[in-house]
Amino acid sequence: MGEPRREEYKIQSFDAETQQLLKTALKDPGAVDLEKVANVIVDHSLQDCVFSKEAGRMCYAIIQAESKQAGQSVFRRGLLNRLQQEYQAREQLRARSLQGWVCYVTFICNIFDYLRVNNMPMMALVNPVYDCLFRLAQPDSLSKEEEVDCLVLQLHRVGEQLEKMNGQRMDELFVLIRDGFLLPAGLSSLAQLLLLEIVEFRAAGWKTTPAAHKYYYSEVSD
C-alpha cells in the first residue's frame, strides 16, 4: 500500500498536466506517448537533483507496467536513447550547468541501480556510468565539493554492482581517487575526508565499519 503513495509524492513537483501524464503511464502505459514520458522524466531529472535520486524507481515501475500490459519496451528504449544523447553531450552539460551535470550522473546511476535484465544490471549502462564517475575523479572536478560529493554518493550506491561487472575499471577509478589526495592545491578538507572514506569503504568490502562510521560522520557533523 505504501508504494503508490511514494510514486504520487514524487510526482508533486510537476505541473498538473504532467502529473496526470505520469500517473497514467504508471497505471495504463498503453494510453500515453511513452517516449514523451521518458523525455519528461529525463528533463526534470536534469533540473531537480532531489527527483533525480528517486526517478529510477518510477522508471522501473513504468517499465514493469508496460511489459505486463503489452510485452513491449517503448519506454525503456526512449529512456536509454535520451540517456545516450545526454551522455554524448556530457562535457557541454557540465560546462553549461554543474548542477545539471551532477543531476545527470545521479540519474544515470539511479537508473543503473533499478533497471534489470534477467535480474542483472544492464550491460549497456556499465561503461557510461563508469565514464561519468571517471570524469568526477579528474583534478578539476575534485576541486569542486559538489562533484566530490556526487562521486562518493554514487559509489556508495552502485560501486559494488559496478565492480562485479568490471573490476578492472574500478581499480583504475580508485587509482585516480587516490591520486586526488596528492593534488598540490584545490582539494578542500571535506573533499579529502569524503575521498578517504570511500577508499576505506571499498577496502572493507563496500561496507562501513562501525569505527569508520563513527570517525567520518562525527567529522562531517563537526
Side-chain angles (χ1 to χ4, degrees):
M1 287 296 289
E3 197 65 25
R5 280 202 296 274
R6 287 197 66 177
E7 299 302 345
E8 299 249 340
Y9 173 74
K10 291 198 289 287
I11 291 173
Q12 295 308 313
S13 55
F14 292 89
D15 62 65
E17 184 183 345
T18 306
Q19 284 188 41
Q20 192 54 50
L21 176 73
L22 294 174
K23 287 176 184 176
T24 305
L26 286 159
K27 292 171 185 167
D28 184 14
V32 293
D33 179 345
L34 290 172
E35 284 197 26
K36 179 181 178 183
V37 173
N39 283 320
V40 163
I41 290 174
V42 174
D43 287 340
H44 200 67
S45 293
L46 295 182
Q47 296 162 11
D48 183 342
C49 277
V50 174
F51 180 74
S52 71
K53 292 175 184 174
E54 290 294 338
R57 187 189 299 272
M58 184 188 295
C59 291
Y60 175 75
I62 295 171
I63 287 167
Q64 292 295 101
E66 184 192 9
S67 177
K68 190 174 180 181
Q69 184 185 68
Q72 293 184 308
S73 54
V74 173
F75 175 78
R76 186 174 73 183
R77 194 160 56 246
L79 177 67
L80 293 177
N81 283 343
R82 260 308 294 281
L83 282 172
Q84 176 73 3
Q85 287 170 23
E86 299 297 337
Y87 164 77
Q88 289 171 341
R90 63 194 181 281
E91 283 297 337
Q92 294 94 309
L93 173 62
R94 183 178 178 272
R96 188 171 67 248
S97 166
L98 196 63
Q99 181 188 331
W101 157 241
V102 166
C103 286
Y104 174 73
V105 179
T106 302
F107 181 61
I108 194 173
C109 288
N110 198 247
I111 294 298
F112 175 75
D113 193 23
Y114 275 103
L115 266 55
R116 290 284 183 273
V117 176
N118 299 325
N119 216 27
M120 288 286 289
M122 293 188 69
M123 281 301 298
L125 290 177
V126 173
N127 280 327
V129 168
Y130 262 124
D131 289 344
C132 290
L133 298 181
F134 268 74
R135 184 64 187 87
L136 290 173
Q138 298 302 315
D140 61 332
S141 289
L142 293 177
S143 68
K144 297 180 174 67
E145 283 185 0
E146 306 100 302
E147 290 186 275
V148 175
D149 190 53
C150 181
L151 172 64
V152 171
L153 282 173
Q154 302 322 312
L155 282 169
H156 270 280
R157 179 160 204 157
V158 299
E160 187 172 11
Q161 295 178 62
L162 275 174
E163 182 158 41
K164 287 175 183 171
M165 304 299 278
N166 188 333
Q168 182 181 342
R169 289 208 76 183
M170 189 61 73
D171 288 341
E172 292 166 0
L173 177 60
F174 271 79
V175 167
L176 279 181
I177 289 172
R178 289 188 187 98
D179 286 350
F181 290 111
L182 306 177
L183 288 174
L187 207 63
S188 72
S189 56
L190 178 59
Q192 287 181 316
L193 191 72
L194 289 168
L195 294 178
L196 186 59
E197 189 270 336
I198 199 63
V199 168
E200 292 199 4
F201 184 69
R202 184 196 180 205
W206 301 102
K207 293 178 178 63
T208 302
T209 63
H213 187 278
K214 185 177 177 183
Y215 173 74
Y216 288 110
Y217 291 96
S218 66
E219 289 281 332
V220 169
S221 62
D222 290 345

